[in-house]
Amino acid sequence: MNHLPLIIKREYLTKVKNKSFIIMTFLSPLIMIGLITLIVYLTQLNNNKERTISILDETGTISEVFKTEKVSEDVYTKYNFLPNISLEEAKKQVQEAEEYGLLHIRQMASMEEIAKQIKFYSEDSPSSNFISRLERILNEKLTEEALINNNVDVKLVESSQMDISIGQETFSGERSSKLINYSKLGFGLAAGYLLFMFIIIYGNMIMRSVIEEKTNRIIEVIISSVKPVQLLMGKIIGTSLAGVTQFLMWIVLGGIMIAIISLVFGVDFSGMQAEQQQALMAQGENVDMQMQITEIIQSLPLANLIAAFFIFFIGGYLLYSSLYAAIGAAVDNETDTQQFMMPIIMPLMLSVYVGGFTVLEDPHGTVATVFSFIPFTSPVVMLMRIPFGVPLWQQLLSVAILYISFTGTVWFASKIYRVGILMYGKKPSYKEIFKWLKY
């Protein structure tokens, strides 16, 4: 008789009715959204201010390029030009006025020497974006002065300058850019990291469930009427469904909490976009973020990504969860699981690092392609490659290898499960587990 549906139902209901499961289902998104809200609030609090910079320009000609500028919606930078006073007096005056800082431009014989003698004094270390903006303004002015001193026509130089921006497009007509490529990798990394965390959290849940039943001797009663492989599959599928239920609850509750916090407390979660635009402005790049986001979304194969995410997510989780169940059957307590955890965690960590360092550089290279076919790394690496365009045959082959490997892993795990589930009071070694496979 097939008891698999009953085992799945029992495992699922046992997990979702557990008090700790219910508490964490509601508490986890609350903590996560709370942390995100705190970060966004502190970022906005830090940016809601007006900065005043005093400038002591001994040359008398360079400081004229500094004008009050609007960095973002709530951040203004004002410049206060000091008369011809000493540096020490200027420092004292800035400190007493509690201004953001003092920019000192010394009078030197040549523009090259002036460029090396510019300093910014402040109470605390200023942000790198702010210093980058000052450097950009000074670079433009000092370059212009150097050209004039060398009797070079500045207007002629400006008209001769070329702003090179290499457009990227595939032979099929698909547009791309550096920002789009980084965004594609970001989508892949997010999907891979999500799978990584899901495996760690719910794989451990399966392992603890097996250990608990084994130590309570409940398993001896269950195993008398159920085949070990059915019990193993029931635990994997039942716990997986409980995990998916909890994950979907997190998404729904998280969305509701974000909406409530935005309406009630006025926290703008889109404020991070302004931070990104500010960083790009500091580098001298004028970027329309809304347009870039639209281009990024249009460049992504969304239908392929969604389908591949679920297929590889399920396959990868089933593959690793069977190994977690086998470890739980082989040991008597969680302390003894440590020696067996490293061989499981290493492929996951390797896939994240390989994906992060090789996919962006060459998503269709040998390393990225090979690791997208290895079943223990393909769920992460292939998800990182798909945004860059992977042939359908490669995706289908990777899926086939993954699910065939899962079948083999279940057979391997059931061999260990069948023997180990009834073993008590003995810490198994790799050599002994290898012998169990022959029984």
Side-chain angles (χ1 to χ4, degrees):
M1 182 178 178
N2 185 13
H3 295 89
L4 183 59
L6 293 175
I7 299 169
I8 293 173
K9 182 179 178 181
R10 173 185 175 274
E11 288 294 323
Y12 178 79
L13 293 177
T14 301
K15 295 292 184 298
V16 297
K17 290 181 179 180
N18 187 281
K19 288 184 179 179
S20 61
F21 183 91
I22 296 171
I23 292 171
M24 291 309 298
T25 298
F26 289 93
L27 191 60
S28 294
L30 184 63
I31 295 172
M32 185 61 66
I33 299 301
L35 289 173
I36 295 173
T37 303
L38 180 62
I39 293 171
V40 173
Y41 173 74
L42 293 176
T43 302
Q44 293 177 355
L45 187 66
N46 182 61
N47 287 332
N48 282 335
K49 60 185 178 182
E50 181 183 287
R51 293 171 177 168
T52 301
I53 312 298
S54 287
I55 299 178
L56 180 59
D57 181 15
E58 295 180 1
T59 67
T61 58
I62 297 174
S63 60
E64 62 187 24
V65 295
F66 289 98
K67 298 177 182 178
T68 298
E69 58 179 340
K70 182 179 180 180
V71 179
S72 64
E73 191 63 32
D74 301 306
V75 181
Y76 288 84
T77 301
K78 291 186 177 181
Y79 297 97
N80 177 32
F81 303 100
L82 299 178
N84 190 16
I85 58 177
S86 67
L87 177 60
E88 294 304 319
E89 289 178 353
K91 287 181 181 180
K92 184 178 179 181
Q93 183 174 321
V94 170
Q95 286 179 306
E96 289 177 351
E98 296 183 351
E99 295 176 351
Y100 189 71
L102 170 67
L103 180 66
H104 179 219
I105 305 171
R106 290 186 61 184
Q107 176 67 62
M108 302 297 290
S110 65
M111 286 296 167
E112 290 79 7
E113 291 176 330
I114 291 175
K116 295 177 182 179
Q117 296 296 326
I118 298 175
K119 289 186 179 181
F120 185 82
Y121 299 91
S122 61
E123 191 69 32
D124 301 311
S125 296
S127 69
S128 57
N129 289 338
F130 172 76
I131 294 298
S132 296
R133 285 200 303 277
L134 291 183
E135 289 174 342
R136 177 169 53 85
I137 295 171
L138 289 168
N139 276 332
E140 292 175 359
K141 179 60 179 177
L142 290 174
T143 300
E144 181 181 322
E145 291 293 327
L147 290 173
I148 293 173
N149 291 340
N150 288 297
N151 298 318
V152 178
D153 189 340
V154 177
K155 292 184 178 179
L156 179 61
V157 172
E158 289 177 352
S159 63
S160 302
Q161 287 180 345
M162 298 296 174
D163 184 14
I164 304 299
S165 178
I166 299 177
Q168 301 178 49
E169 189 173 320
T170 63
F171 288 113
S172 60
E174 182 184 349
R175 291 181 58 193
S176 183
S177 67
K178 289 186 292 184
L179 182 59
I180 289 175
N181 288 339
Y182 280 116
S183 300
K184 287 180 177 179
L185 180 63
F187 276 95
L189 284 172
Y193 184 74
L194 185 62
L195 175 61
F196 181 88
M197 294 303 298
F198 199 90
I199 289 173
I200 296 296
I201 294 172
Y202 296 104
N204 275 288
M205 185 183 293
I206 291 175
M207 185 176 66
R208 286 194 299 268
S209 175
V210 175
I211 293 173
E212 182 181 354
E213 288 184 352
K214 182 178 177 180
T215 53
N216 291 338
R217 303 298 177 93
I218 300 173
I219 200 68
E220 293 179 357
V221 178
I222 299 174
I223 207 71
S224 62
S225 58
V226 178
K227 292 181 180 179
V229 67
Q230 288 186 0
L231 185 58
L232 176 65
M233 286 300 299
K235 283 188 171 295
I236 292 172
I237 297 173
T239 305
S240 302
L241 292 175
V244 171
T245 301
Q246 188 176 56
F247 184 70
L248 292 176
M249 287 292 292
W250 284 347
I251 294 175
V252 173
L253 292 173
I256 294 172
M257 288 178 187
I258 288 175
I260 292 173
I261 291 171
S262 298
L263 292 172
V264 176
F265 299 100
V267 178
D268 183 13
F269 287 92
S270 63
M272 302 307 291
Q273 180 177 318
E275 286 295 306
Q276 295 171 353
Q277 192 162 7
Q278 181 180 337
L280 291 168
M281 288 174 59
Q283 299 171 10
E285 298 183 27
N286 186 14
V287 177
D288 186 340
M289 292 298 294
Q290 197 66 37
M291 186 180 297
Q292 289 288 344
I293 291 171
T294 304
E295 275 191 39
I296 291 167
I297 294 174
Q298 291 175 347
S299 68
L300 290 171
L302 292 179
N304 190 359
L305 269 175
I306 294 170
F309 175 78
F310 282 106
I311 293 170
F312 280 101
F313 192 91
I314 293 170
Y317 174 71
L318 293 176
L319 179 71
Y320 278 97
S321 59
S322 61
L323 296 177
Y324 272 99
I327 292 174
V331 300
D332 290 338
N333 55 71
E334 286 193 50
T335 306
D336 295 337
T337 62
Q338 301 306 312
Q339 61 175 324
F340 302 110
M341 294 301 294
M342 188 58 68
I344 295 179
I345 299 299
M346 283 302 295
L348 277 173
M349 295 178 62
L350 181 63
S351 62
V352 172
Y353 282 107
V354 167
F357 287 106
T358 65
V359 170
L360 179 63
E361 184 66 28
D362 190 1
H364 307 294
T366 303
V367 175
T369 303
V370 169
F371 275 88
S372 65
F373 290 128
I374 299 173
F376 291 98
T377 58
S378 62
V380 175
V381 179
M382 183 59 83
L383 284 176
M384 292 184 184
R385 287 186 62 210
I386 287 175
F388 295 93
V390 178
L392 183 60
W393 71 267
Q394 288 191 15
Q395 298 182 44
L396 294 175
L397 179 60
S398 180
V399 169
I401 294 173
L402 176 62
Y403 280 85
I404 291 171
S405 300
F406 163 64
T407 305
T409 306
V410 168
W411 175 86
F412 169 82
S414 64
K415 287 279 190 178
I416 299 173
Y417 194 85
R418 183 181 60 180
V419 179
I421 202 70
L422 297 174
M423 298 283 288
Y424 300 98
K426 186 177 182 181
K427 188 176 181 180
S429 62
Y430 283 104
K431 183 178 180 180
E432 188 168 0
I433 290 177
F434 182 74
K435 289 180 180 179
W436 295 354
L437 300 176
K438 300 178 181 178
Y439 294 160

